[in-house]
Amino acid sequence: MKKNSSVVVDLLLLLLAITVLATPAFSDLVLSKVERRIDVTSQIARVTKTLKVVNSGSESVSEFTLTFPKFLSNNLAYLSVSHSEGKGKAKRSLANLSVKEAHPKGMPDLISFYSVSLPKPLSKGDTLTLEVVAAFTNVLQPFPEKITQRDIHLVMLQESAQYLSPYVVESQSLSIKLPNARIESYTKLENSKVQGSEIKYGPYKNLAQYSYAPIVVHFESKAAFAVAERLVREIEVSHWGNVQVTEHYNLVHRGAQLKGEFSRLEYQDRPNPQGVSAFRHLLARLPPRAHSIYYRDDIGNISTSQMQSDSKKTELLIEPRFPLFGGWKTFFTIGYGLPLSDFLFASEGKRFLDISFGSPMIDLVTEKLIVQVVLPEGSKDISVTTPFAVKQSHEIKYSHLDIAGRPVVVLEKNNVVPDHNQKIQVYYKFSNINLLSEPLMLITGFFVLFIPCIIYTRADFSISKSSAAYLAKLQWDEVLATLQEVQNIIQKCLAAHDKLEASLRDLSRTGDIQTCKAARKSTDSLLKDLSKELRPLLASLQSFPSASQISPKVEELVAKERELQEKLMAKHTTVVEGYEKKSSGRDIENRIASQQQKIIALRQEVDDLLEFIDEI
Amino acid sequence: MAAKKASPDLVNSSFSFKSLKLKTKQQELLLRVSILGLVYVLAFIARLFSVLRYESMIHEFDPYFNYRTTLFLTEKGFYEFWNWFDSESWYPLGRIIGGTLYPGLMVTAALIYWTLRFLRFFVHIREVCVLTAPFFASNTTLVAYFFGKEIWDTGAGLVAAALIAICPGYISRSVAGSYDNEAVAIFALLLTFYLFVKAVKTGSLSWALGSAFGYFYMVSAWGGYVFIINLVPLYVLVLLITGRYSMRLYVAYNCMYILGMLLAMQIRFVGFQHVQSGEHMAAMGVFLLMQVFYFLDWVKHQLNDTKLFQTFLRITVTSAILVGGIALGVGTASGYISPWTGRFYSLLDPTYAKDHIPIIASVSEHQPTAWSSFMFDYHILLFLFPAGLYFCFKRLSDATIFIVMYGLTSLYFAGVMVRLILVATPAVCLISAIAVSATVKNLTSLLRTKQKVPQTGSTKGVGSSKSSSKVTLDQSQPFHKNGAIALLVGVFYLLSRYAIHCTWVTSEAYSSPSIVLAARGAHGNRIIFDDYREAYYWLRQNTPTDAKVMSWWDYGYQITAMGNRTVIVDNNTWNNTHIATVGRAMSSYEDEAYDIMRSLDVNYVLVVFGGVTGYSSDDINKFLWMVRIGGGVYPVIKEPDYLVNGEFRVDKGASPKMLNCLMYKLCYYRFGELVTEYGKPTGYDRARGVEIGNKDIKLEHLEEAYTTSNWIVRIYRVKPPTNRL
């Protein structure tokens, strides 16, 4: 009630001011026809005006003045003026005109003035049609201010039936579009009538300057009065191909407040799911190809949301954890990724991000919108262009693997309506080399991690270099190294044996004695060389006291290997001789059978010994 | 010709392969490291079921408190945290958080968080908290490996690591999101034991010091440290009695006890309990006994006369026991040494809590364990455990004596209380691992020796390229090899069943956050009941910031953490009277309850009700405990008033007091008008399967403020008193 009474006082003061106004018009412009349409089907009052301006004076005029009562202009969220040419269907809108707030002298405070600069001066007798679109928030006052769960939601709109203008108006009409036909009351004037869910006032002819006829319309509204008290949109650009948008909503229902108790029983029994005094859903229209969408709040994921997407748009229907009644609040976060190629473009050596400014929610009023555009680390020469005035500042944000931090452009604007959902452009310079910095950092990190490991395993960190234990360890390492070498040589010998055997097999197949002999010769020399190499190793092994346990085994191994060598040679000789004498295969086989058995036994022993040494 | 050329090539390639081949030792190391690495990863990912099924969130009740305190610690720093007086709980008393919690978990998570931030990974503290438990479970597998290696061999260590990685008894407390003290405490417990065993084995001061620090970490993390401080002295005592006293033991125990005690005193919640509380006296007694032993040893060495020594021994032991007994008696009588707490008593006597402390008995995880849950949590380990004990006794050493004692005592405690299955799990895994490892090792060695001996092949001739080496079986033991193979197959079958069982249990039973409830719908689709968070978030957003919420203590931590509102009682249960007052309010008539609520400045009352969804752990089913706890302090509340012939009912046959008490009214307010199930009358309670007895409930001093979409949580506003004019 308080709010309402104050508005009434405002109205009275306004009327008083208007009657006092005696100054003549700004210029000799005359509005030959004014059509106003007010759409209050949502919580935003959207006023569209078509003004036909005629210059009846003698001088050409380049400025046009728009006026609003102060109590309305305080809630003015959006104003745009465009002029159109032609008539009827051929009418086309041209570019928006620039609008500035003006403070002419000697005018009462209760009226706000906006001056519109015309595209070209209007000379005498010329006409011009202006299209004005204005969106007001908070002008639909819930009345009564508190209702119970069962009551219907009524709101009140205050306007003027006559167009408030510093110019003479020859003919004007007003139509108010309401959400439904349920009208509680409205101010009845002459020429006012109700048509379904529309109230019409006028036409009124030949009105003087600053004519004003207050009207009040009281009607039912089922619209969601969802207001974001604060909305933070964080747009993070990653040159790896993603634009991540995160939006934090502080949402409140600004309709009539809930009085008394909330009954779940009644709420769930009512057939109409769209609660009259509460709303359950919000619809967000995201850009097409939005992906990885999430919806959560401080305490976790919210599972009540639905998504539909096609090639043109992605629609996200989100349901807060609880239905929002008048005065109830909630906070949540939605986030989604967008493909970089849809939003990032290049021009004149700069890159620019072209992305919409406002919230994707439908019919949402945002009291304070903060848009943070986070650019990649290393971006330079940042500039922003916006279609309307916003407050700008810069910040630094630290994210994963950042050193210098990412530059953030912060844009702030109060009282934002869906009409502000226009594209903004953020220009910046960024070199692709910077892309590599983070992977390189990771690589360096792992490198730095492994370097100490490598050093630790390779380097000798013992404090006392002369202690017995340390020396013993050193010696043992040497023993192991020698053993390794011995093993290698034995392995080589065994490989040579295998070669010898292979040559025998070849002989049996081809009968080529000469190659076989050649193979024998080469193997012979190889084995001799190897045994030469083996000698100093054995000697050094014996000199180590710590190898006293091992050296007999090694010696045994070497001895066995030599024996094996001899047996093999003997066998080889026998076979080759057999072939030279052209004796039968069976005969040769019989002759070497005993040798063969010994060879196998010896080979087994050598293998066992090798395995034993291997396990040391 | 091609074949001719191919054969030397083949020889060459096999030769080069042979030279590349790793040595047996290197192979073994590689195998061991890769198995351990896989087990480490496995232990982590097996615990991520809860994140996959639900989301990355904190589970249950206590973790919410831990999360809230961790958040506070990371935001305000350690000193603020240490001196934190929380006025949001236990209104109007408040709680000194810094002095009444085990800070180990929070400090650990905060350290991980700070380290990650230092390394430029800007993660959210919630993610750190959610993943702390799996991370420490992974670390536990490493400790289990080293422990197993210490008491048996590397094979047993590996098996132990693998077994503990997926053992349901451990997973139940360490899934992702289960951010509770136990998550790090089991790691600390096993680490302390491992280091102590190592210290006893080596007699090295450094291992004993490590064990003392492990003990310090354990004390800072969980109240279960009492188990260590009693088991270790018991173990030492057993070693003394069995004549295994050695200098190694003396060094290990004294260092661990003294340093551990001094370190533990730094934890404010523990303070001087090590020298003042009855639960810690055993350790001190054994410490003194060790000194007597050492002294006697020295005297024996000096005297060289057995007869004289015997008399001396008698006098010393008698006087030592006498002095100790008198000191204990005087200390207890003068109140310097506090007697055992109720929880400790209830461990020794399972029926104690039921008769004396209803607040302990009312918690479901304090109930005695059923056989089925042993089977559920241990599966084959239950059978492998005795086998492992057999192997331990067969190869008795200081280390195996320890693991046997740990296993037997913890298994006893696991039988007394369900939640202590957790403490027994590492012991059971280790002992079972010994059984598995020893069996498999025996069987495979049987197989290996067989293959090696008869390598007497014979080449048929020079011409035959394939030297077919026939393996002639040793005819003396014809069935050994087959038997061994069959047994091995059996072992691997059992182990694979164990793995399947563990995975199933983890995914089905232990991964539910219990904040979000999930059910199967009629068409097999998954229905999620997110009512708890709905209600808590409503409280957070739509009540005055200083509102006081009264609810049963179970929900206290969650309301403060998620709802961010002041509660009257919470899960800390430190003040029985306060809880009893709430219990009394809930079980009184509305106008009497109103006076209690006014005196406690209550603005909202929250009840949990499962009548619509059939959710059975709601406040009506807990109501008898409220009556009992309330009646324990306020004799006006009498349990029989709420029962009819000893039976708890909510239908028409219920007692009049039951039908009109506050809890009944708040749960069933306007429920009588609701149809919950097709074909049933209105007001049909699905959780209890009855039609309620009082359908016309009028509230005088309270009004419904919010009820969640499935009616699980109902919040009522307490109206201000009516104007008397």
Side-chain angles (χ1 to χ4, degrees):
Chain A
M1 279 309 287
K2 248 185 203 165
K3 240 186 196 168
N4 277 316
S5 57
S6 73
V7 171
V8 172
V9 172
D10 277 358
L11 274 175
L12 288 174
L13 279 173
L14 183 68
L15 282 175
L16 204 71
I18 288 165
T19 50
V20 169
L21 266 181
T23 42
F26 280 57
S27 57
D28 297 327
L29 294 179
V30 170
L31 301 177
S32 64
K33 198 178 174 194
V34 175
E35 272 176 38
R36 283 192 298 153
R37 292 169 301 279
I38 304 178
D39 183 346
V40 287
T41 48
S42 73
Q43 59 164 328
I44 302 160
R46 205 167 267 117
V47 183
T48 325
K49 300 169 192 172
T50 315
L51 310 172
K52 207 174 234 174
V53 188
V54 180
N55 189 356
S56 62
S58 50
E59 291 162 38
S60 63
V61 180
S62 60
E63 278 207 341
F64 177 80
T65 307
L66 278 174
T67 49
F68 293 101
K70 193 87 179 178
F71 76 92
L72 278 181
S73 69
N74 280 344
N75 293 316
L76 178 68
Y78 180 75
L79 177 66
S80 91
V81 183
S82 59
H83 82 105
S84 57
E85 283 179 351
K87 278 187 176 179
K89 296 231 165 164
K91 200 164 81 174
R92 59 198 177 94
S93 287
L94 289 174
N96 284 350
L97 306 176
S98 75
V99 184
K100 267 194 306 215
E101 204 167 339
H103 300 282
K105 277 176 190 167
M107 288 295 153
D109 277 348
L110 293 165
I111 305 178
S112 317
F113 292 84
Y114 294 87
S115 83
V116 181
S117 49
L118 299 177
K120 57 182 181 203
L122 199 64
S123 53
K124 183 180 183 305
D126 278 1
T127 59
L128 176 79
T129 310
L130 292 177
E131 291 270 352
V132 180
V133 177
F136 298 93
T137 58
N138 293 327
V139 294
L140 299 182
Q141 297 286 340
F143 188 81
E145 289 188 325
K146 285 189 176 179
I147 55 170
T148 66
Q149 197 181 339
R150 287 174 217 96
D151 295 340
I152 57 164
H153 189 219
L154 297 169
V155 294
M156 214 162 62
L157 171 75
Q158 295 176 335
E159 250 289 353
S160 164
Q162 296 167 355
Y163 180 54
L164 181 70
S165 166
Y167 308 111
V168 174
V169 180
E170 284 175 350
S171 159
Q172 74 122 345
S173 61
L174 167 70
S175 73
I176 302 173
K177 195 175 175 226
L178 305 177
N180 54 33
R182 184 159 180 174
I183 301 162
E184 198 77 2
S185 71
Y186 68 99
T187 312
K188 292 189 179 70
L189 297 174
E190 55 170 330
N191 269 344
S192 64
K193 59 175 183 270
V194 179
Q195 276 181 349
S197 63
E198 256 188 33
I199 303 178
K200 291 201 163 156
Y201 287 94
Y204 301 110
K205 303 278 184 191
N206 294 327
L207 298 171
Q209 300 153 353
Y210 300 109
S211 303
Y212 197 81
I215 52 166
V216 175
V217 185
H218 195 200
F219 59 96
E220 184 193 3
S221 174
K222 285 186 177 178
F225 275 53
V227 176
E229 288 182 316
R230 182 186 156 92
L231 165 61
V232 181
R233 296 187 79 215
E234 192 187 85
I235 301 163
E236 186 160 358
V237 181
S238 159
H239 277 247
W240 294 99
N242 192 35
V243 178
Q244 181 66 35
V245 184
T246 316
E247 298 172 349
H248 307 279
Y249 289 87
N250 278 85
L251 207 69
V252 64
H253 185 301
R254 276 287 161 76
Q257 297 200 351
L258 179 70
K259 183 171 71 180
E261 65 178 25
F262 161 76
S263 170
R264 171 63 67 177
L265 185 75
E266 282 172 24
Y267 184 77
Q268 71 187 31
D269 275 0
R270 204 180 21 240
N272 184 2
Q274 178 93 33
V276 180
S277 47
F279 65 87
R280 187 181 274 187
H281 307 288
L282 284 167
L283 187 69
R285 204 158 278 156
L286 307 179
R289 301 216 279 155
H291 60 87
S292 329
I293 298 169
Y294 66 85
Y295 169 41
R296 58 171 299 131
D297 59 25
D298 297 333
I299 60 172
N301 183 47
I302 309 171
S303 47
T304 45
S305 62
Q306 287 165 29
M307 199 186 81
Q308 278 186 334
S309 63
D310 54 40
S311 61
K312 293 220 177 71
K313 61 182 187 304
T314 311
E315 278 191 343
L316 180 69
L317 186 72
I318 61 172
E319 193 177 314
R321 287 193 191 273
F322 39 84
L324 281 179
F325 279 86
W328 286 15
K329 291 177 188 166
T330 192
F331 169 84
F332 59 85
T333 301
I334 60 173
Y336 47 92
L338 299 170
L340 186 72
S341 53
D342 292 6
F343 296 92
L344 193 74
F345 308 96
S347 85
E348 297 160 14
K350 276 191 159 188
R351 297 156 197 268
F352 72 95
L353 180 76
D354 187 38
I355 203 158
S356 86
F357 179 73
S359 146
M361 299 274 177
I362 285 171
D363 285 337
L364 179 79
V365 171
T366 310
E367 289 186 341
K368 187 182 180 78
L369 173 66
I370 300 169
V371 178
Q372 301 171 330
V373 183
V374 184
L375 298 172
E377 197 177 18
S379 303
K380 285 180 296 249
D381 300 340
I382 302 159
S383 61
V384 184
T385 54
T386 50
F388 33 79
V390 294
K391 203 176 129 196
Q392 240 188 74
S393 56
H394 289 269
E395 275 177 14
I396 297 284
K397 187 199 168 186
Y398 290 94
S399 184
H400 294 309
L401 298 175
D402 283 352
I403 293 176
R406 305 180 183 200
V408 184
V409 181
V410 184
L411 307 174
E412 271 186 64
K413 184 164 173 57
N414 292 335
N415 219 0
V416 179
V417 289
D419 304 77
H420 286 110
N421 262 4
Q422 299 171 14
K423 300 264 179 165
I424 56 166
Q425 288 82 34
V426 182
Y427 292 87
Y428 62 97
K429 274 186 180 161
F430 179 77
S431 123
N432 275 334
I433 295 289
N434 285 337
L435 269 184
L436 291 175
S437 67
E438 288 183 359
L440 281 178
M441 245 171 75
L442 270 184
I443 292 168
T444 322
F446 277 102
F447 189 66
V448 167
L449 184 73
F450 284 124
I451 284 272
C453 300
I454 293 169
I455 291 174
Y456 177 77
T457 49
R458 305 279 154 153
D460 185 357
F461 283 104
S462 56
I463 298 168
S464 156
K465 306 268 182 202
S466 56
S467 76
Y470 178 72
L471 290 177
K473 192 178 155 280
L474 274 190
Q475 206 177 47
W476 182 244
D477 284 345
E478 239 170 287
V479 168
L480 285 184
T482 324
L483 267 183
Q484 184 71 44
E485 272 178 65
V486 170
Q487 254 177 305
N488 280 344
I489 289 168
I490 299 284
Q491 291 288 0
K492 271 183 202 164
C493 290
L494 290 181
H497 298 172
D498 287 342
K499 230 181 224 168
L500 216 54
E501 291 272 15
S503 76
L504 278 184
R505 279 200 293 278
D506 282 351
L507 178 66
S508 75
R509 238 190 345 260
T510 60
D512 188 352
I513 299 170
Q514 288 314 312
T515 22
C516 190
K517 274 187 175 166
R520 158 103 190 239
K521 212 167 249 172
S522 69
T523 318
D524 253 353
S525 61
L526 179 68
L527 284 174
K528 247 172 218 151
D529 287 349
L530 287 175
S531 67
K532 246 182 232 163
E533 278 177 42
L534 207 54
R535 224 166 287 142
L537 289 176
L538 282 178
S540 70
L541 203 59
Q542 272 164 342
S543 68
F544 294 126
S546 56
S548 57
Q549 297 282 320
I550 307 158
S551 57
K553 283 278 179 192
V554 176
E555 271 160 32
E556 192 188 342
L557 173 71
V558 172
K560 293 273 181 205
E561 199 275 331
R562 184 132 321 138
E563 204 180 335
L564 180 62
Q565 228 174 72
E566 279 160 17
K567 293 275 186 251
L568 254 177
M569 290 300 171
K571 175 188 160 194
H572 198 268
T573 324
T574 328
V575 173
V576 172
E577 269 173 14
Y579 270 95
E580 278 173 340
K581 285 177 189 160
K582 304 255 187 311
S583 26
S584 70
R586 183 169 294 273
D587 202 28
I588 297 171
E589 209 172 296
N590 282 341
R591 220 179 297 165
I592 62 165
S594 61
Q595 285 172 329
Q596 186 66 31
Q597 226 146 40
K598 261 184 206 153
I599 287 171
I600 287 169
L602 274 172
R603 183 67 187 253
Q604 181 68 39
E605 274 177 65
V606 169
D607 279 346
D608 282 351
L609 279 170
L610 266 179
E611 205 168 296
F612 174 81
I613 290 171
D614 204 32
E615 271 171 24
I616 289 166
Chain B
M1 280 304 283
K4 194 179 167 187
K5 270 205 168 167
S7 60
D9 278 350
L10 213 78
V11 170
N12 271 341
S13 67
S14 72
F15 168 74
S16 60
F17 173 74
K18 238 181 187 173
S19 68
L20 268 179
K21 207 181 79 178
L22 294 165
K23 285 205 271 177
T24 326
K25 222 174 173 182
Q26 288 170 320
Q27 276 179 349
E28 200 243 334
L29 183 74
L30 188 69
L31 264 179
R32 196 156 26 117
V33 170
S34 50
I35 288 173
L36 262 185
L38 284 175
V39 165
Y40 193 86
V41 174
L42 172 74
F44 194 84
I45 58 173
R47 286 161 170 82
L48 296 185
F49 266 115
S50 58
V51 174
L52 291 179
R53 288 279 157 93
Y54 295 89
E55 59 182 274
S56 166
M57 66 184 294
I58 308 288
H59 291 192
E60 310 235 345
F61 303 102
D62 288 16
Y64 270 95
F65 169 75
N66 301 332
Y67 174 58
R68 180 168 158 245
T69 45
T70 312
L71 209 62
F72 187 92
L73 171 62
T74 51
E75 278 168 5
K76 303 258 172 85
F78 187 73
Y79 288 103
E80 282 282 309
F81 169 72
W82 207 231
N83 297 319
W84 181 15
F85 179 80
D86 179 25
S87 53
E88 279 199 6
S89 57
W90 294 93
Y91 184 86
L93 309 170
R95 177 181 170 190
I96 306 156
I97 298 272
T100 56
L101 53 39
Y102 294 102
L105 179 72
M106 297 91 191
V107 173
T108 308
L111 280 179
I112 296 174
Y113 174 70
W114 286 326
T115 312
L116 285 175
R117 284 190 84 86
F118 174 75
L119 294 173
R120 299 272 167 209
F121 291 100
F122 288 87
V123 291
H124 194 278
I125 181 69
R126 186 190 55 245
E127 314 298 342
V128 175
C129 293
V130 164
L131 296 180
T132 298
F135 174 61
F136 271 87
S138 290
N139 294 342
T140 308
T141 60
L142 288 189
V143 180
Y145 163 72
F146 285 112
F147 205 169
K149 191 178 155 193
E150 204 55 47
I151 54 177
W152 203 256
D153 57 11
T154 48
L158 284 179
V159 177
L163 288 182
I164 204 168
I166 54 170
C167 184
Y170 186 27
I171 282 189
S172 68
R173 294 283 169 162
S174 61
V175 293
S178 176
Y179 180 58
D180 211 346
N181 291 333
E182 288 94 324
V184 297
I186 291 304
F187 166 75
L189 178 92
L190 208 59
L191 185 70
T192 313
F193 283 159
Y194 162 65
L195 292 172
F196 184 69
V197 167
K198 188 99 184 167
V200 170
K201 207 169 175 181
T202 56
S204 137
L205 263 179
S206 61
W207 288 113
L209 186 68
S211 153
F213 275 103
Y215 178 65
F216 171 59
Y217 187 50
M218 176 70 188
V219 174
S220 76
W222 194 35
Y225 75 88
V226 178
F227 179 62
I228 299 185
I229 204 65
N230 282 299
L231 177 66
V232 168
L234 191 67
Y235 164 65
V236 172
L237 199 66
V238 167
L239 287 191
L240 291 185
I241 290 169
T242 50
R244 283 171 172 270
Y245 169 80
S246 64
M247 207 53 207
R248 291 177 284 113
L249 185 68
Y250 183 82
V251 168
Y253 182 73
N254 286 331
C255 175
M256 189 263 176
Y257 176 67
I258 294 294
L259 283 175
M261 179 172 76
L262 289 176
L263 285 169
M265 281 178 181
Q266 311 310 311
I267 306 296
R268 266 168 74 196
F269 192 30
V270 177
F272 285 102
Q273 281 188 31
H274 274 82
V275 288
Q276 285 188 342
S277 128
E279 288 144 26
H280 301 75
M281 281 305 127
M284 185 175 275
V286 169
F287 170 70
L288 294 176
L289 199 65
M290 285 288 267
Q291 311 315 315
V292 173
F293 241 82
Y294 186 73
F295 176 66
L296 285 177
D297 221 33
W298 178 73
V299 169
K300 191 178 177 184
H301 181 72
Q302 296 295 93
L303 276 180
N304 279 330
D305 181 357
T306 37
K307 215 169 190 183
L308 215 61
F309 177 69
Q310 287 294 331
T311 5
F312 184 76
L313 182 73
R314 223 169 293 140
I315 295 165
T316 326
V317 169
T318 333
S319 54
I321 290 173
L322 215 66
V323 168
I326 288 169
L328 195 68
V330 169
T332 318
S334 64
Y336 182 75
I337 297 170
S338 64
W340 289 351
T341 58
R343 264 170 221 251
F344 200 73
Y345 263 124
S346 61
L347 275 181
L348 301 179
D349 175 11
T351 57
Y352 179 82
K354 217 172 177 182
D355 301 335
H356 296 90
I357 342 167
I359 202 150
I360 290 179
S362 75
V363 182
S364 63
E365 60 185 21
H366 290 167
Q367 304 303 318
T369 317
W371 267 110
S372 58
S373 48
F374 269 120
M375 196 57 212
F376 199 63
D377 279 355
Y378 290 148
H379 199 240
I380 59 160
L381 304 187
L382 212 53
F383 306 111
L384 292 173
F385 182 71
L389 283 184
Y390 162 77
F391 281 109
C392 284
F393 277 113
K394 228 176 122 184
R395 208 175 91 181
L396 218 51
S397 69
D398 288 355
T400 46
I401 289 179
F402 183 83
I403 196 68
V404 166
M405 290 193 53
Y406 173 28
L408 291 178
T409 48
S410 62
L411 212 59
Y412 165 73
F413 291 130
V416 175
M417 259 192 206
V418 176
R419 67 190 295 205
L420 292 182
I421 280 193
L422 179 72
V423 176
T425 303
V428 171
C429 285
L430 279 165
I431 293 177
S432 307
I434 290 173
V436 172
S437 173
T439 315
V440 171
K441 207 167 193 176
N442 287 345
L443 292 175
T444 45
S445 69
L446 212 61
L447 283 183
R448 280 165 68 102
T449 49
K450 289 280 201 116
Q451 275 169 354
K452 256 189 168 179
V453 171
Q455 269 266 336
T456 46
S458 61
T459 37
K460 287 255 167 92
V462 192
S464 63
S465 53
K466 287 178 222 158
S467 58
S468 56
S469 54
K470 263 192 202 163
V471 179
T472 46
L473 283 171
D474 193 351
Q475 296 299 317
S476 61
Q477 298 168 315
F479 301 116
H480 263 199
K481 196 184 167 191
N482 291 341
I485 288 174
L487 280 174
L488 270 181
V489 168
V491 168
F492 287 117
Y493 175 74
L494 271 184
L495 288 176
S496 64
R497 291 310 305 176
Y498 173 72
I500 291 166
H501 172 82
C502 291
T503 320
W504 175 77
V505 168
T506 311
S507 75
E508 294 296 315
Y510 288 145
S511 291
S512 161
S514 91
I515 288 281
V516 182
L517 311 166
R520 294 257 169 240
H523 308 290
N525 53 330
R526 197 150 164 267
I527 305 171
I528 284 189
F529 298 123
D530 204 356
D531 286 40
Y532 279 108
R533 286 196 293 183
E534 183 182 337
Y536 297 144
Y537 208 59
W538 184 86
L539 277 177
R540 189 188 185 110
Q541 295 290 339
N542 293 306
T543 57
T545 44
D546 60 346
K548 285 101 198 163
V549 183
M550 183 174 91
S551 73
W552 190 233
W553 61 265
D554 296 22
Y555 317 107
Y557 278 165
Q558 293 179 348
I559 294 172
T560 37
M562 285 194 271
N564 198 16
R565 292 293 174 265
T566 307
V567 294
I568 307 296
V569 291
D570 67 24
N571 309 44
N572 188 236
T573 66
W574 65 274
N575 190 326
N576 191 36
T577 315
H578 217 49
I579 291 177
T581 312
V582 173
R584 184 185 173 185
M586 291 294 190
S587 39
S588 308
Y589 292 125
E590 191 187 346
D591 44 353
E592 294 163 16
Y594 185 65
D595 291 338
I596 299 173
M597 291 191 289
R598 290 284 306 157
S599 69
L600 287 173
D601 281 353
V602 173
N603 304 105
Y604 291 90
V605 183
L606 181 145
V607 293
V608 171
F609 171 61
V612 176
T613 47
Y615 173 57
S616 61
S617 52
D618 65 351
D619 278 349
I620 291 287
N621 282 356
K622 288 175 188 167
F623 184 60
L624 271 191
W625 287 111
M626 302 184 201
V627 172
R628 268 173 216 154
I629 293 169
V633 177
Y634 302 103
V636 282
I637 305 292
K638 293 182 193 72
E639 193 179 335
D641 291 349
Y642 299 87
L643 303 174
V644 178
N645 300 328
E647 205 183 336
F648 181 65
R649 315 176 59 159
V650 294
D651 57 357
K652 281 209 176 60
S655 69
K657 181 121 196 195
M658 178 70 209
L659 291 177
N660 289 296
C661 70
L662 185 70
M663 178 52 79
Y664 191 92
K665 278 182 148 184
L666 296 187
C667 283
Y668 292 118
Y669 178 64
R670 301 202 71 177
F671 182 68
E673 301 162 46
L674 184 76
V675 179
T676 53
E677 210 168 312
Y678 182 72
K680 292 278 196 281
T682 58
Y684 178 76
D685 185 334
R686 291 179 66 189
R688 282 151 287 272
V690 289
E691 186 185 348
I692 60 165
N694 184 358
K695 287 192 188 176
D696 183 35
I697 293 171
K698 293 271 180 294
L699 289 172
E700 195 185 338
H701 302 292
L702 296 116
E703 61 180 359
E704 187 176 352
Y706 189 72
T707 297
T708 57
S709 46
N710 298 300
W711 294 58
I712 290 180
V713 184
R714 309 196 69 180
I715 302 170
Y716 292 84
R717 192 182 296 118
V718 180
K719 287 188 199 164
T722 46
N723 210 330
R724 292 225 175 109
L725 283 172

